[in-house]
Amino acid sequence: MTAWVPSDVLGRRILCGTEFATVRYVGSVPPTAGIWLGVEWDDPQRGKHNGTHEGTQYFKCRHPRGGSFIRPNKANFGVDFLTAVKDRYGLNDEQDVHHGKESTLVFGKKTVEFVGMDSIIEQQSQLNQLVDISVRECAVSHAGQKEEISRTCANIRHINLSKNLISSWETVTDIASQVQNLETLNISENKMKFPSTSISVSSVFLKLRILALNQTEITWTEVVLCAPGWPALEELYLTSNNITVLERPENVLQTLKLLDLSDNQLLDGNQLHLIAHLPRLEQLILRNTGISSIHFPDVGFGFKTKMFPSLKRLAINDNKISQWSSINELDKLPSLRSLQCHNNPLMDTEKNPETLRQLIIAKIGQLGVLNKSEILPAERKGAELDYRKIFGNDWIAAGGHWNPERNRPSEEFLAAHPRYPSLCLKYGAPEEGELKRQQPLTLKNQLLTLTIKCPDKPEQKPLEKKLPDSMTIQRVKGLLYRLLKIPGSELKLSYESSKLEGKEVELDNDLKPLQFYSIENGDCVLVRW
């Protein structure tokens, strides 16, 4: 008997056992008899060749050994959406409901577990109340009979269709067109074809707010072509799609608040300029995108850029940023409040992570959260005072002066430290006497091993920390606010030493370093609030 093959088999996604593949050829392969499917495996290790058999090329593969021939009866072409829903939620007519299989459904905001039902009417009633549906890895390949979804599941708002057998955007539209109030759609991990030319705008996705297209092989050009159909979209996830170049979205994506481009190797940081005028974009996630620099060329230092006007949260971790100039540029963003930037070469320029954190805080004036850790007012003040002092000698050498009439710092200094003038306005310009005893930043700081105790909070276990003896009391307080998760109370610090048995010395000047108080290795810092 000849195995059934769909009429639109070319380009279809299939499962063979647990392995995913795309059909690239259907037909005979002499000298063997019968019909074969030439498939390109998602995992090229599963393949045997590049589509060539005995000198004849039947199809092409991206990987030289990513292809195979299989018989049609070995291919799983998938099921329709509603069959997958019934299977997943234990509502399939073919199942013996008397076996008492438990299922979980979401009714509005309530999750309810129930034991198998014994009537079709009751099944239909339950399906009709489903709001959140996940059919991840259920081999969904097509919508099924026209209007069947809308008749059976009228209240769906959120669908997870990830890692199925969807071959084209058209199939997604066929399913979504039957879900009137669709708000969230995840179709990640489906390698599919998207429209390559402009498509007519339909009302299918009018209420869609969240769309995940991770690992779908979509290009940015295809995103822009589809985007007119997403008039209310607020969150768009596009990770791992080999997107390298962007283009300006004209009159589309204007409602977007979150964009995730992680794990796409962008050509360069200038690609960001092409999406910089999305008016409502509040969160941009650029993890592992290969960018090595960030630059906003429309304004100079000390001014706010017109790019990314609403951007509050930026993630640039796991990239190739190695210069402080990119951090300086971020101070130009008018709305930036949160930054994630770990795992960049820049992070290796300072051995002490606390010093690195303080430098970033001082360079970006409006930042409230750094690497998921809140910046409290005391920490910001300490960071900015330290920065002003550390680079004070450089400022004076470059022509800076406490007298405004003689203050002429060089362009080179201002390019390296664009916030320095504003810090001088905020705290006053450093005077030469204040800077004389300062050690050069390049000298290795003496590290002190100190025990941190909270005598009024016996439930708080003592901590041991290594701190540079040049660290100011203000910066120690900033560190302790985060370490001990202390609310915005005023900290009072003192210390005990084995050399001063029975005595407690108050650390009462925020601007003085630890070494000023003759603190030594093994001493104990006492924290009260």
Side-chain angles (χ1 to χ4, degrees):
M1 182 182 290
T2 303
W4 173 79
V5 177
S7 58
D8 61 346
V9 66
L10 284 179
R12 284 281 293 265
R13 299 281 291 156
I14 65 162
L15 266 172
C16 184
T18 59
E19 298 288 338
F20 287 82
T22 304
V23 178
R24 301 297 186 199
Y25 171 79
V26 57
S28 59
V29 182
T32 60
I35 299 297
W36 291 90
L37 300 180
V39 300
E40 182 178 7
W41 301 101
D42 287 12
D43 178 8
Q45 301 300 318
R46 176 73 172 75
K48 297 179 179 179
H49 50 70
N50 66 350
T52 300
H53 179 67
E54 294 188 355
T56 300
Q57 184 161 42
Y58 292 89
F59 62 97
K60 293 182 179 179
C61 289
R62 298 180 192 179
H63 192 277
R65 295 184 61 82
S68 295
F69 289 105
I70 65 170
R71 290 297 191 183
N73 62 359
K74 298 288 187 183
N76 177 359
F77 290 99
V79 298
D80 66 86
F81 177 79
L82 209 51
T83 296
V85 171
K86 290 176 179 179
D87 285 346
R88 171 55 61 90
Y89 293 97
L91 300 172
N92 203 311
D93 302 343
E94 298 175 6
Q95 294 180 0
D96 184 359
V97 296
H98 298 294
H99 287 169
K101 180 178 178 181
E102 291 188 358
S103 299
T104 302
L105 297 183
V106 177
F107 304 120
K109 293 184 178 179
K110 293 182 179 179
T111 301
V112 179
E113 286 193 348
F114 60 93
V115 177
M117 298 154 290
D118 57 4
S119 79
I120 297 298
I121 295 173
E122 194 172 354
Q123 289 181 20
Q124 295 288 63
S125 173
Q126 301 294 352
L127 282 170
N128 215 17
Q129 293 181 65
L130 284 170
V131 174
D132 300 88
I133 282 182
S134 175
V135 283
R136 176 177 169 82
E137 290 190 87
C138 288
V140 177
S141 61
H142 57 289
Q145 293 181 18
K146 196 172 182 181
E147 304 306 324
E148 190 179 12
I149 299 171
S150 56
R151 283 197 305 268
T152 312
C153 303
N155 290 303
I156 300 174
R157 292 180 184 272
H158 314 284
I159 299 177
N160 183 350
L161 267 168
S162 58
K163 206 169 186 180
N164 278 290
L165 299 178
I166 296 171
S167 304
S168 70
W169 181 250
E170 186 180 356
T171 299
V172 177
T173 304
D174 288 344
I175 294 171
S177 65
Q178 300 182 56
V179 184
Q180 287 189 347
N181 296 308
L182 186 62
E183 296 177 16
T184 305
L185 178 60
N186 183 355
I187 46 175
S188 301
E189 298 175 80
N190 286 285
K191 292 187 177 182
M192 68 179 90
K193 287 185 179 179
F194 292 88
S196 56
T197 57
S198 295
I199 55 175
S200 57
V201 178
S202 70
S203 59
V204 172
F205 300 104
L206 275 182
K207 297 182 180 179
L208 189 67
R209 295 186 303 104
I210 301 171
L211 177 59
L213 292 165
N214 305 322
Q215 297 182 52
T216 56
E217 300 191 344
I218 194 170
T219 66
W220 183 257
T221 299
E222 290 165 345
V223 169
V224 173
L225 285 171
C226 292
W230 311 328
L233 196 66
E234 294 180 4
E235 298 182 15
L236 180 57
Y237 299 87
L238 296 169
T239 70
S240 304
N241 279 310
N242 296 318
I243 294 171
T244 56
V245 293
L246 305 177
E247 59 185 81
R248 194 163 182 158
E250 299 288 354
N251 302 317
V252 292
L253 302 177
Q254 300 300 292
T255 56
L256 203 63
K257 293 182 178 180
L258 181 152
L259 177 60
D260 189 350
L261 287 167
S262 298
D263 300 312
N264 292 291
Q265 296 303 298
L266 298 178
L267 191 63
D268 54 46
N270 291 333
Q271 295 298 313
L272 302 182
H273 299 165
L274 299 167
I275 57 169
H277 298 284
L278 293 170
R280 298 184 188 177
L281 189 66
E282 295 180 2
Q283 185 170 359
L284 181 58
I285 306 170
L286 299 169
R287 182 180 55 80
N288 188 30
T289 51
I291 56 175
S292 58
S293 65
I294 295 173
H295 182 42
F296 304 113
D298 60 327
V299 291
F301 292 114
F303 298 93
K304 296 301 180 184
T305 177
K306 292 181 179 179
M307 297 183 179
F308 297 107
S310 302
L311 190 65
K312 295 178 181 178
R313 297 179 291 281
L314 176 64
I316 50 172
N317 29 317
D318 302 306
N319 278 297
K320 300 175 182 177
I321 295 170
S322 59
Q323 301 296 320
W324 280 104
S325 56
S326 291
I327 302 298
N328 291 338
E329 288 286 326
L330 296 179
D331 190 53
K332 294 180 180 179
L333 290 169
S335 304
L336 187 66
R337 297 294 179 268
S338 173
L339 175 67
Q340 291 183 48
C341 59
H342 43 260
N343 294 341
N344 277 283
L346 178 67
M347 307 300 117
D348 298 329
T349 60
E350 286 291 335
K351 290 182 180 178
N352 188 334
E354 275 303 314
T355 301
L356 185 77
R357 178 179 171 87
Q358 301 300 312
L359 288 171
I360 295 172
I361 291 170
K363 283 178 173 288
I364 307 176
Q366 69 277 25
L367 209 59
V369 178
L370 177 58
N371 291 329
K372 298 184 178 180
S373 177
E374 185 182 1
I375 302 166
L376 295 169
E379 184 181 18
R380 171 161 292 286
K381 182 179 179 182
E384 291 178 343
L385 285 169
D386 273 6
Y387 189 91
R388 168 183 163 276
K389 186 174 181 180
I390 286 169
F391 295 102
N393 284 326
D394 293 346
W395 175 71
I396 290 171
H401 199 277
W402 61 270
N403 184 339
E405 293 180 5
R406 297 173 60 186
N407 183 30
R408 301 283 188 273
S410 67
E411 289 295 320
E412 185 180 5
F413 178 85
L414 293 176
H417 308 283
R419 278 207 77 219
Y420 204 87
S422 65
L423 295 180
C424 289
L425 286 172
K426 188 174 182 179
Y427 300 108
E431 299 184 27
E432 288 189 47
E434 183 185 349
L435 304 169
K436 275 180 181 174
R437 290 184 301 278
Q438 182 193 337
Q439 290 183 323
L441 190 63
T442 52
L443 286 182
K444 193 172 185 179
N445 288 324
Q446 175 71 37
L447 286 176
L448 300 172
T449 301
L450 302 175
T451 300
I452 313 292
K453 288 183 180 179
C454 305
D456 298 340
K457 307 282 182 180
E459 71 277 7
Q460 182 73 51
K461 293 181 180 178
L463 300 171
E464 190 174 277
K465 291 295 290 182
K466 289 187 177 181
L467 304 177
D469 64 0
S470 59
M471 194 173 193
T472 62
I473 302 305
Q474 185 76 50
R475 279 182 59 194
V476 173
K477 285 183 177 180
L479 173 65
L480 293 173
Y481 273 117
R482 288 186 297 108
L483 274 180
L484 304 174
K485 296 182 172 59
I486 300 168
S489 310
E490 185 64 32
L491 286 188
K492 293 182 179 179
L493 302 186
S494 57
Y495 85 96
E496 293 176 332
S497 172
S498 57
K499 293 181 179 179
L500 302 167
E501 201 164 334
K503 288 189 68 177
E504 194 175 312
V505 179
E506 193 174 347
L507 305 175
D508 55 359
N509 189 330
D510 284 355
L511 301 181
K512 296 295 184 184
L514 291 170
Q515 62 193 7
F516 174 82
Y517 292 96
S518 304
I519 295 180
E520 297 180 353
N521 263 326
D523 287 351
C524 181
V525 174
L526 305 173
V527 187
R528 294 182 176 89
W529 65 91

